[in-house]
Amino acid sequence: MLADKLDGNSLPDGRYFEIPPGSHDLQVQLHVDNNDSAPVLCDAKLHYAGFVAGGHYSLKESHLGAEYRVRLHDASGKQLAATDVFYCVPG
């Protein structure tokens, strides 16, 4: 899983990046390898209005069957936001 875009702009490194304080949209990309079929590429957006200067955040992926979700957590592990629906296409 990688962050792909911040407010519509591509990120140079989707693993580590800085987000200015305030409200932002983060596009997240998942590469799903299914043992029984071709890999799948999935995209979704996550919106959070409370980013703070110097804050540390993490993205955590989970899934139940074919339903994928990415959640944004703060440094203490509190969930702050979650992705909307993932759109997937064969990759």
Side-chain angles (χ1 to χ4, degrees), residues 6-7 18-24 50-53:
L6 176 64
D7 298 329
E18 291 187 29
I19 296 179
S23 181
H24 296 283
F51 287 104
V52 296

Side-chain angles (χ1 to χ4, degrees), residues 13 19 29 31 41 65 68 83:
D13 184 344
I19 296 179
Q29 196 172 75
H31 297 268
L41 180 63
Y68 298 96
T83 52

Side-chain angles (χ1 to χ4, degrees), residues 30 61-71 84-86 88:
L30 291 175
E61 180 263 331
S62 64
H63 65 90
L64 181 58
E67 184 178 313
Y68 298 96
R69 182 169 302 271
V70 172
R71 293 174 173 86
D84 56 7
V85 175
F86 269 93
C88 301

Side-chain angles (χ1 to χ4, degrees), residues 5-25:
K5 294 181 180 181
L6 176 64
D7 298 329
N9 299 312
S10 295
L11 293 167
D13 184 344
R15 298 169 299 160
Y16 305 100
F17 50 93
E18 291 187 29
I19 296 179
S23 181
H24 296 283
D25 291 314

